[in-house]
Amino acid sequence: MLNNLPPLAPFRPRLLQDLRGYNVEKLGRDVGAGATVGIVALPLAMAFAIASGLKPEAGLWTAIIAGFLISALGGTSVQIGGPAGAFIVIVYGIVERYGVANLLIATASAGVLLFLLGLFRLGTLVRYVPVSVVIGFTNGIAVLIALSQVRDWLGLDIAKMPGDFFSQISTIAHHIGSLNPYAFGLGTLCVIGLFVWPRLWAVDSQFRRQLEHVDTMSALKATSRLPAPVVALVTLSLLAWAMKLPVETIGTRFGGIPQGLPALALPEFSWQTVKQLVTPTLTIALLGAIESLLCARVADQLSETPKHDPNQELMAQGVANFVVPFFGGMPATGTIARTVTNIRSGAVSPIAGIVHAATLAAVVLIAAPLAQHIPLAVLAGVLLFVAWNMGEWREFGRLKHFSNHYRLMMLSTFLVTIVFDLTVAVELGLVLACLLFVRRQSDIFRADPLPQLDPDVVQFRLYGSLFFGAVSKIDPIVAAVEKSHAGVRVELDASQLISLDTSGLDSLEQLHKLVAKRGGQLVLNHLNPQPASLIERSGFGARLRGENASAEHA
């Protein structure tokens, strides 16, 4: 029996393949792209960690360590790994309910699960999650990310935000009187700047055209290449520091970022604790798998590099998520925004992702003390922008073009993600998808009567799949048999019957018993391979042939 199992997936990082024929020209492109993405990742990594209820260095070292491991061991050429916005709501809920130590254990356990998913070639299973479910929970997470940033955006005097949706709204409403106009102004300027900056330097923008003949245009062009989040972070932090604005910063809340390598720490582990963390572990693993493979598919579409290996990618994600908790990190996965930036910056191999991690490490080790001046309202503005870009809001307007089944799956997943939990939402979405698929397939099956040329013969043609959800559709045949005289011959044309399950087989056997009880014959004509195989393996085909042969001899 063990010999019939599929072989395990080989551990073959894409880096080894891409290094064949690697040259100086490719290295230059990768270094430029990696440095650019490293700068982009800096504010995002801190913002994701803070929004998740962790210290900013947790996000930074996750981006560095996991980013390096995912690029070095992954199954894609240009994907960038690290902390992701999708994890904010999940991690915050786990920290609030179980504590940081248990988050680390859940993340490491999820890493083991992810590695096993890849090792046993289950990477393709993630593709079976319906797109309506993915859009639903993605939009739901975007709403929750935006809501979680309202406290820092408005500068509200709230010691700790609760984890669930309605409690957050109630807490914000209760403390709205403590609004800090300076924090609100910085956060709003950040959001506006993030929207405006790339449009200012677009090829067809009026602003760029007016500067075409200015002597300093080359310097301005160099400035235009700076990522918008970095421009917002630097300029608004300088503004707040120079004007001594009374706003909360990384320094006032966390005491700054340690300048040095993270210490290796082993979280306290026990099987009793692991048993309590089954749901958080599954949530992190499920979301990490979905996000990383969706990101890999986006990279395949935008890049000319070879298509990704989903199993190798999951194994790399597993290694990264197993390792980062020992350095105080948070869950990591593939990140679409940074991956797209990497591709557009000219990356051609995983070396770019390794350079991205090295760039981040250099910035943290050299300039960590400067981070204490960053206002939290500015990081909130960055995450509000991330949430806006993360959500696929146009899909709500397009719902009118789709079926009620699609609307039900997307909207229910969206609402349950917001009100309850991502895991519950995905489970509900998959259950609904299965139920609606069963209903749709049962609607397709039908048994149509054929013209009755001989009063001793009842003929029907079967269409579609005869399975457990469609067995009631053969009732017209039963009714026709019951109305006919004894000794009737029932012929079923199965040329359009594409599949049959054991419930469908049982319904045919019950029909056969009814026909035999009335002294008649049941004949199945033109069987396709799958129905024929099941009928033969069950012995039903032999019984039919034997009885029909006996009737002909009689």
Side-chain angles (χ1 to χ4, degrees):
M1 180 180 291
L2 292 176
N3 292 333
N4 295 327
L5 294 176
L8 300 178
F11 192 82
R12 242 185 325 233
R14 179 60 57 83
L15 177 62
L16 299 179
Q17 175 183 329
D18 286 349
L19 285 178
R20 298 170 190 162
Y22 200 70
N23 53 41
V24 175
E25 188 259 334
K26 290 182 178 179
L27 176 63
R29 294 177 63 181
D30 282 336
V31 169
T36 301
V37 180
I39 295 172
V40 170
L42 180 67
L44 294 177
M46 290 188 292
F48 291 152
I50 293 171
S52 301
L54 303 172
K55 293 182 177 180
E57 58 263 30
L60 288 171
W61 285 108
T62 299
I64 294 167
I65 298 171
F68 170 81
L69 291 173
I70 289 171
S71 292
L73 305 177
T76 66
S77 296
V78 291
Q79 178 164 280
I80 299 296
F87 277 122
I88 289 175
V89 180
I90 306 304
V91 173
Y92 190 90
I94 294 173
V95 170
E96 185 188 45
R97 186 177 303 175
Y98 302 99
V100 175
N102 286 328
L103 167 68
L104 302 180
I105 294 174
T107 303
S109 301
V112 174
L113 185 56
L114 282 167
F115 187 87
L116 292 176
L117 287 174
L119 183 65
F120 289 103
R121 298 179 179 271
L122 298 177
T124 55
L125 291 182
V126 177
R127 298 177 183 175
Y128 296 147
V129 179
V131 65
S132 54
V133 174
V134 174
I135 293 173
F137 79 68
T138 300
N139 286 1
I141 290 173
V143 170
L144 292 175
I145 291 174
L147 181 62
S148 71
Q149 297 310 298
V150 171
R151 174 185 68 164
D152 290 335
W153 176 38
L154 302 181
L156 302 181
D157 186 16
I158 301 174
K160 184 174 178 60
M161 285 286 286
D164 64 283
F165 178 72
F166 293 111
S167 296
Q168 286 183 347
I169 292 179
S170 176
T171 302
I172 291 170
H174 184 72
H175 291 84
I176 196 67
S178 62
L179 183 145
N180 183 332
Y182 300 103
F184 176 65
L186 285 174
T188 304
L189 282 175
C190 179
V191 174
I192 293 173
L194 292 174
F195 276 104
V196 171
W197 181 259
R199 289 165 177 77
L200 281 179
W201 298 105
V203 176
D204 57 347
S205 74
Q206 190 66 28
F207 175 77
R208 188 184 182 101
R209 289 175 183 172
Q210 291 177 353
L211 294 176
E212 285 293 339
H213 303 292
V214 176
D215 294 336
T216 57
M217 186 59 193
S218 58
L220 290 171
K221 280 185 177 180
T223 304
S224 72
R225 297 191 185 98
L226 291 174
V230 175
V231 174
L233 196 71
V234 173
T235 56
L236 295 177
S237 297
L238 286 173
L239 176 66
W241 174 77
M243 299 185 67
K244 294 181 171 54
L245 299 180
V247 294
E248 196 171 14
T249 65
I250 287 179
T252 59
R253 183 180 292 184
F254 301 104
I257 297 175
Q259 189 175 18
L261 297 173
L264 176 65
L266 300 178
E268 187 176 345
F269 179 87
S270 71
W271 284 112
Q272 190 63 34
T273 302
V274 172
K275 291 177 183 177
Q276 298 175 356
L277 297 173
V278 171
T279 299
T281 297
L282 291 176
T283 303
I284 293 172
L286 176 65
L287 185 57
I290 292 174
E291 284 288 310
S292 63
L293 296 184
L294 283 177
C295 180
R297 289 173 65 181
V298 171
D300 288 345
Q301 295 168 2
L302 297 179
S303 171
E304 297 180 357
T305 55
K307 301 297 182 185
H308 74 281
D309 178 350
N311 298 312
Q312 181 63 40
E313 187 59 34
L314 287 184
M315 286 191 281
Q317 298 286 340
V319 172
N321 280 282
F322 180 77
V323 171
V324 291
F326 297 106
F327 297 92
M330 58 188 291
T333 185
T335 57
I336 293 178
R338 276 160 277 173
T339 296
V340 172
T341 302
N342 191 40
I343 295 170
R344 290 177 177 170
S345 300
V348 294
S349 81
I351 296 295
I354 295 173
V355 172
H356 136 267
T359 301
L360 266 175
V363 172
V364 171
L365 294 175
I366 296 172
L370 298 177
Q372 65 179 328
H373 301 295
I374 299 174
L376 296 181
V378 175
L379 292 179
V382 171
L383 284 187
L384 287 172
F385 182 73
V386 167
W388 174 258
N389 284 330
M390 180 179 176
E392 299 187 46
W393 313 113
R394 293 180 182 177
E395 294 299 321
F396 288 117
R398 298 179 59 212
L399 282 176
K400 59 185 178 182
H401 301 300
F402 296 99
S403 66
N404 289 331
H405 292 175
Y406 182 94
R407 297 173 195 167
L408 177 61
M409 284 194 292
M410 177 177 159
L411 293 177
S412 61
T413 306
F414 172 71
L415 293 174
V416 172
T417 298
I418 293 175
V419 176
F420 293 102
D421 180 75
L422 173 66
T423 307
V424 177
V426 174
E427 290 171 351
L428 175 65
L430 291 176
V431 169
L432 282 175
C434 292
L435 292 176
L436 295 175
F437 177 78
V438 168
R439 180 177 176 180
R440 189 178 298 114
Q441 292 301 309
S442 65
D443 289 343
I444 292 174
F445 178 81
R446 68 181 192 272
D448 291 348
L450 297 176
Q452 191 167 356
L453 304 177
D454 186 340
D456 294 330
V457 179
V458 172
Q459 292 182 308
F460 278 81
R461 179 171 290 141
L462 306 181
Y463 295 86
S465 300
L466 181 54
F467 69 113
F468 66 89
V471 292
S472 62
K473 296 294 189 71
I474 68 168
D475 288 349
I477 306 176
V478 174
V481 171
E482 291 175 341
K483 291 178 182 179
S484 63
H485 58 77
V488 68
R489 178 183 173 90
V490 179
E491 295 183 357
L492 302 182
D493 180 356
S495 59
Q496 302 300 316
L497 180 67
I498 59 175
S499 65
L500 179 73
D501 74 351
T502 53
S503 296
L505 175 64
D506 181 70
S507 67
L508 291 178
E509 291 179 332
Q510 296 303 320
L511 176 63
H512 169 245
K513 290 179 181 178
L514 175 63
V515 173
K517 186 177 180 181
R518 298 175 65 85
Q521 294 176 263
L522 175 65
V523 179
L524 298 175
N525 295 320
H526 313 301
L527 281 168
N528 285 308
Q530 190 276 330
S533 174
L534 179 58
I535 288 173
E536 288 302 319
R537 285 183 282 114
S538 67
F540 183 46
R543 292 200 303 274
L544 286 180
R545 286 193 300 272
E547 292 177 9
N548 293 339
S550 299
E552 289 175 3
H553 289 307

